Amino acid sequence: MSDLNGYKSGSNLEKILRAGHFAVTAELGPPKNADAEVIRKKAALLKGCVEAANITDNQTAIVRMSSIGAGALALREGLEPVMQMTCRDRNRLGMQGDLLGAYALGLRNILCLTGDHQTFGNHPQAKNVHDMDSVQLVQMVVGLRDKGCFQCGEEIKGVVPRFFVGAAENPFGDPFEFRPLRLGKKAKAGADFIQTQMIYNVPKFREFMKRVVDLGVHKQTYILAGVGPLKTPGAAKYMRDQVPGMDVPDEIVERMETAGKGIEDKKAKAAAYREEGLKICIDIIHQMREIEGVAGAHIMAIEWEEAVKPIVEGAGLLPRPVVEAVPST
Amino acid sequence: MIVAEQKPLEEIRSLTGDAKRVLVVGCGTCVTVCFAGGAREAAIVTASLRMASKIDGHEKAVTEATVQRQCEWEYLDEIAEQVRHADLVLSLGCGVGVQALAERYPDAVVVPGLNTTFMGLPLEQGVWAERCAACGQCILGLTGGVCPIARCSKQLLNGPCGGSSKGKCEVNPEIDCAWQMIYDKLKSQNRLHLIMEITPPKDWRTSRDGGPRKIVREDLRLPVAGKV
Ligand code: SF4
Ligand code: SF4
């Protein structure tokens, strides 16, 4: 891999993590239409604040511009994309074909996901695929890169796609005690980095990370802690009560509620909520930096990309480092 | 067993169209046990169709018959006469029964009276649940006897996904998370090592993805006439 100077993919995210910097990634949600301008605007908000931005793949099973298309547009704007890919919508043929296309377009990072069930989205009548699961997808993308082989074992003749391969894990999913072990399975599959589900329950996440560190998994893969700003107390409650696998402690909901107390003006109240949401998010990032095994933060400001810059700035993480040096190994 | 549900009477009526003589055929096996298409249900559907056709002024002659097993051609011979006299056969068998009837009597118009739903078992009186999706390569030995193909909403082989919460599946709280069950079972049996290794992608050729399936057992086949 002399062409990549020892890097697996040569992506900016990989370079930052290999250099030992606390990495920052964010999320860019593509539009529910074919407007490239939306991507340009959102990319402008994130550029310079993060190493790379995840481009979601039909998130929550709602049809949106493809992560590859939107990722290629982001790249043109100078924002490095992390293409998300779910196992819900394509089989191994579709996924590998897309991986070749994405690489040819210049995409270098991928996040392998199972995908939210289609019954949550706007096409609940759809047939789901799940030919493979996310662990197997990680293995497949790593195999393309390291073995130069398709999933079937056939050699790739010509340019081999070399991605920096990520996976997600939900520390708050059940069974809680199996989660660090499952993370270990993803690392074993070859995941270079992990982005976690949004963390609001910091003590529980600490417990999770302690187990991860005991197992040595943090040495096998870079773990980016997922965080996200809350907009309103209502959103916090919704996540607490309605979203399977989310853990939002009551203190967080109360903190949001308190922020708007006594404010009559609607606009001012909304602004106070948002400000508190940003503060909570910044606080959590500070706490994440103290936890052993956490290599970075992944900021999920869903349909609120404007929030990313103040969060990164507030957490003292601006300007972002630039790494050009060759890694030692 | 195969579990099925009766179609709504309205749909059954529209499927019977303007046929004058309708034969309702029940089945004495799985669909009897799940109260969807046995002799009892055949009698009720027959009476309902008769009554409904009388009310709308296009009276049909509706008769009924129940065979022991609709999914085997030989069990269908006994109703040959009745089928010949009918304009339309309404099968209350599972999808296999409907097709067996249609194959045994190529000239007959056969329509389904049931929606065949899954292979499963009764959990309690009046409640059935899916257990197997006939994937053709059983992995229950790896998963503590809980099938992730039929019972995990995403057919994960390296589950659970991030949506598993308090033992329930993210899809809805009525569904138990198969992977929570797999975990609990293997843990209680001290066999968690079975899911510590990565299970490779499944070869779906043995499932429906390889095309319609067929089993040929040479050891059981009858000698072909003329060949030794
Ligand atoms: S693994 Fe396949 S054959 Fe076994 S119970 Fe599940 S679907 Fe049926
Ligand atoms: S919650 Fe459990 S049963 Fe539902 S899709 Fe996820 S792993 Fe499968």
Side-chain angles (χ1 to χ4, degrees):
Chain A
M1 277 187 272
S2 56
D3 50 333
L4 292 175
N5 282 332
Y7 286 114
K8 289 179 176 176
S9 70
S11 77
N12 185 43
L13 180 59
E14 179 183 8
K15 287 177 181 168
I16 295 281
L17 285 165
R18 287 280 290 271
H21 296 295
F22 187 84
V24 183
T25 55
E27 210 156 278
L28 188 159
K32 286 170 78 175
N33 58 45
D35 188 357
E37 196 47 38
V38 176
I39 304 296
R40 287 189 203 109
K41 281 195 183 131
K42 290 188 172 190
L45 292 169
L46 300 176
K47 198 180 155 183
C49 302
V50 296
E51 272 64 80
N54 287 30
I55 317 286
T56 52
D57 178 17
N58 286 345
Q59 193 176 19
T60 60
I62 291 171
V63 179
R64 292 172 180 278
M65 186 188 289
S66 74
S67 57
I68 295 174
L73 288 167
L75 195 60
R76 273 197 229 159
E77 299 304 305
L79 176 69
E80 181 172 289
V82 177
M83 148 189 50
Q84 295 196 174
M85 187 176 271
T86 72
C87 298
R88 178 194 56 226
D89 305 335
R90 331 170 183 58
N91 65 11
R92 59 193 91 178
L93 278 104
M95 294 199 277
Q96 290 180 102
D98 279 350
L99 287 164
L100 297 182
Y103 192 81
L105 284 166
L107 277 60
R108 293 293 178 265
N109 306 303
I110 176 176
L111 186 77
C112 304
L113 299 167
T114 306
D116 297 319
H117 198 263
Q118 75 277 7
T119 48
F120 292 113
N122 61 355
H123 291 75
Q125 313 87 344
K127 187 173 195 291
N128 60 18
V129 182
H130 299 297
D131 175 25
M132 306 212 292
D133 64 28
S134 56
V135 179
Q136 296 160 347
L137 175 56
V138 167
Q139 249 179 347
M140 181 170 81
V141 190
V142 169
L144 293 173
R145 181 188 71 201
D146 295 348
K147 293 190 194 146
C149 280
F150 292 110
Q151 195 272 333
C152 62
E154 191 183 307
E155 182 195 342
I156 303 171
K157 297 204 176 76
V159 177
V160 164
R162 298 184 188 284
F163 287 98
F164 193 50
V165 185
E169 188 54 58
N170 182 5
F172 309 104
D174 284 319
F176 180 65
E177 57 194 12
F178 186 57
R179 290 291 157 181
L181 297 166
R182 186 155 184 271
L183 183 71
K185 272 178 99 166
K186 289 188 170 174
K188 202 167 174 188
D192 300 304
F193 70 97
I194 300 288
Q195 289 168 326
T196 76
Q197 170 69 282
M198 271 193 254
I199 298 155
Y200 292 104
N201 188 340
V202 177
K204 195 163 178 191
F205 179 68
R206 266 202 205 101
E207 211 182 304
F208 168 84
M209 280 308 296
K210 191 174 173 303
R211 187 84 180 98
V212 168
V213 168
D214 288 346
L215 292 166
V217 177
H218 66 305
K219 296 224 168 86
Q220 299 156 22
T221 187
Y222 298 105
I223 299 168
L224 278 65
V227 296
L230 293 161
K231 260 185 187 166
T232 61
K237 276 187 219 157
Y238 177 77
M239 282 201 226
R240 181 188 63 189
D241 303 330
Q242 306 289 332
V243 183
M246 281 287 301
D247 186 336
V248 182
D250 293 338
E251 301 95 81
I252 298 279
V253 176
E254 280 157 24
R255 231 180 114 172
M256 286 300 288
E257 274 167 348
T258 313
K261 274 219 176 98
I263 304 176
E264 288 304 321
D265 181 60
K266 262 196 178 167
K267 268 195 178 163
K269 202 177 178 101
Y273 284 146
R274 283 170 186 235
E275 200 179 317
E276 189 62 24
L278 296 182
K279 265 195 208 148
I280 294 173
C281 189
I282 292 166
D283 284 353
I284 293 177
I285 294 178
H286 281 306
Q287 295 179 67
M288 291 302 124
R289 296 189 69 175
E290 303 299 319
I291 298 175
E292 188 185 356
V294 174
H298 174 55
I299 305 167
M300 287 170 268
I302 297 156
E303 289 307 307
W304 191 15
E305 283 83 355
E306 295 84 352
V308 173
K309 191 171 182 191
I311 292 171
V312 181
E313 199 160 33
L317 293 164
L318 278 185
R320 298 307 307 145
V322 177
V323 177
E324 280 309 336
V326 178
S328 49
T329 51
Chain B
M1 64 171 162
I2 291 176
V3 182
E5 265 185 312
Q6 211 168 85
K7 285 178 178 288
L9 188 63
E10 269 318 295
E11 188 183 345
I12 291 178
R13 284 184 66 194
S14 104
L15 279 168
T16 57
D18 50 16
K20 290 268 174 292
R21 290 164 303 172
V22 175
L23 172 65
V24 178
V25 185
C27 173
T29 310
C30 304
V31 293
T32 293
V33 186
C34 68
F35 303 96
R40 199 172 137 261
E41 291 77 25
I44 297 169
V45 169
T46 302
S48 311
L49 272 179
R50 235 181 242 148
M51 180 109 65
S53 68
K54 205 180 256 176
I55 290 169
D56 68 18
H58 300 282
E59 196 170 344
K60 293 182 194 300
V62 190
T63 51
E64 62 182 282
T66 296
V67 296
Q68 191 186 334
R69 211 183 293 162
Q70 214 178 102
C71 58
E72 283 190 55
W73 292 329
E74 61 190 87
Y75 286 87
L76 303 176
D77 288 347
E78 63 190 68
I79 57 168
E81 268 310 291
Q82 286 153 284
V83 172
R84 207 161 52 80
H85 283 109
D87 305 326
L88 181 133
V89 178
L90 174 73
S91 162
L92 295 190
C94 69
V96 186
V98 180
Q99 293 180 67
L101 263 174
E103 286 165 23
R104 178 67 188 79
Y105 299 109
D107 296 332
V109 176
V110 184
V111 297
L114 304 186
N115 291 320
T116 304
T117 314
F118 52 75
M119 279 187 274
L121 51 75
L123 294 178
E124 57 183 85
Q125 179 76 25
V127 182
W128 291 266
E130 184 164 17
R131 287 294 180 265
C132 172
C135 75
Q137 179 57 51
C138 194
I139 54 164
L140 286 173
L142 274 179
T143 56
V146 178
C147 173
I149 308 296
R151 301 175 72 183
C152 164
S153 302
K154 299 175 187 170
Q155 309 191 336
L156 304 181
L157 295 180
N158 296 282
C161 76
S164 175
S165 186
K166 301 182 181 77
K168 298 296 173 185
C169 172
E170 71 170 27
V171 170
N172 79 53
E174 297 292 305
I175 305 171
D176 293 321
C177 171
W179 274 96
Q180 177 77 55
M181 290 191 276
I182 292 168
Y183 180 81
D184 291 343
K185 181 61 159 293
L186 293 177
K187 191 179 174 203
S188 73
Q189 296 182 340
N190 245 329
R191 296 199 299 155
L192 274 179
H193 63 275
L194 289 175
I195 52 168
M196 289 309 163
E197 293 306 316
I198 297 168
T199 302
K202 196 168 168 64
D203 180 347
W204 294 103
R205 278 176 297 188
T206 58
S207 188
R208 254 291 298 151
D209 307 87
R213 294 166 284 177
K214 191 186 211 171
I215 292 175
V216 180
R217 284 271 307 269
E218 292 301 344
D219 57 329
L220 296 175
R221 298 185 88 178
L222 297 176
V224 180
K227 274 195 191 176
V228 188

